[in-house]
Amino acid sequence: MILFSIVGLSSCQLDEKLQEEDVKTLWEEFVRLKYEGAFRTDTIFEQKLQSQLNLALKNGDAKAGKRILEFETEWNFLKGMEAIASKKVDDLKKYSSNSPDETLQWFLAYNELNKKNFDAAILILKNLLKKQELAADLNLKANWLLGTIYEEQGIDSLAIKYYSIASQLGPVNNEFDYYLESTFHLGNMRYINDEVDRSVEIYQKALDESIKYKVTRLVPVGFYHLAKVEERQGKHENALLNYNKALEYVIQELNQSEHFIIPLIRNKIESLENQ
């Protein structure tokens, strides 16, 4: 009987460990596909997420189910599937008691932004940032989202403030993309406010670190922004070079011949070549 109890306990622990490893592997694939920009087109991973979620729910594993549902929710936000993402947020609420956890609060703010409820989103995020010992990745993501809200509202000074905070926080807990998105958008803010030299420094940093951290979907964005600045400065040969680098990267490295940025880049190249 003692031996049976020990064996039973070990099997249970082994199953739990394997389950944790399965979720970790799923998270690593989720991160990789995010960085590659595959959330725009990949449906196989969406099916895998749903399959793994169903399995977790079937096994009564609330912890794994909640984590996988978080992946699904973020995936749909990134993809721009706002109605589906909103439904996923409602599903996540079922895992909370009276007060939502910090990750859910971030999703709730994201959801309010998509509904154009800016004040509600800002209130959630500012309350979130007041929390002591807030996880570093959520601190980064909350500041990024505040920058996004203020940029959408056209309040450049506050967009710059929060993008700057997020950019200075740097990459944490494998959240390279939110750090880089903040840095690129900070460059945009400087650019539209006629701080062109500062924007070049920021764009170059964001491009270099997109390459360094293998956030490949942002690499052509970096080349594009540098070309945009060079075109504005009258450096047409350099601009053409970087527009072509952006185009080649999307087609050859990302292998996305239908990428939304391609027509925009080609129009830029054609315009410069005809001057």
Side-chain angles (χ1 to χ4, degrees), residues 167 171 176 179-181 183-184 199-226 230 242 245 249:
S167 182
F176 299 118
Y179 153 66
L180 291 168
E181 286 275 5
T183 306
F184 273 120
S199 73
V200 172
E201 295 173 7
I202 296 168
Y203 286 144
Q204 187 65 60
K205 175 187 176 182
L207 171 59
D208 292 344
E209 301 214 331
S210 296
I211 295 169
K212 175 182 177 180
Y213 295 120
K214 297 182 174 59
V215 185
T216 53
R217 69 181 178 84
L218 292 177
V219 173
V221 174
F223 286 127
Y224 173 84
H225 283 311
L226 287 175
E230 289 160 344
N242 277 315
K245 283 183 180 179
Y249 197 94

Side-chain angles (χ1 to χ4, degrees), residues 4 32 72 103 111 125 152 183 194 198 216 242 274:
F4 177 80
R32 178 180 61 79
E72 272 200 309
T103 300
N111 202 32
L125 291 169
E152 188 159 335
T183 306
D194 296 324
R198 292 188 70 182
T216 53
N242 277 315
N274 289 334

Side-chain angles (χ1 to χ4, degrees), residues 160-173:
I160 288 171
K161 173 184 175 179
Y162 287 102
Y163 283 141
S164 295
I165 292 171
S167 182
Q168 289 164 10
L169 287 171
V172 288
N173 296 349

Side-chain angles (χ1 to χ4, degrees), residues 90-119:
D90 287 339
D91 291 342
L92 275 172
K93 290 178 185 176
K94 299 172 186 176
Y95 288 90
S96 298
S97 53
N98 293 329
S99 59
D101 64 31
E102 292 167 352
T103 300
L104 177 54
Q105 288 179 52
W106 184 74
F107 281 128
L108 289 169
Y110 208 147
N111 202 32
E112 294 295 345
L113 167 61
N114 283 341
K115 296 175 181 177
K116 308 299 181 185
N117 296 331
F118 299 122
D119 290 343

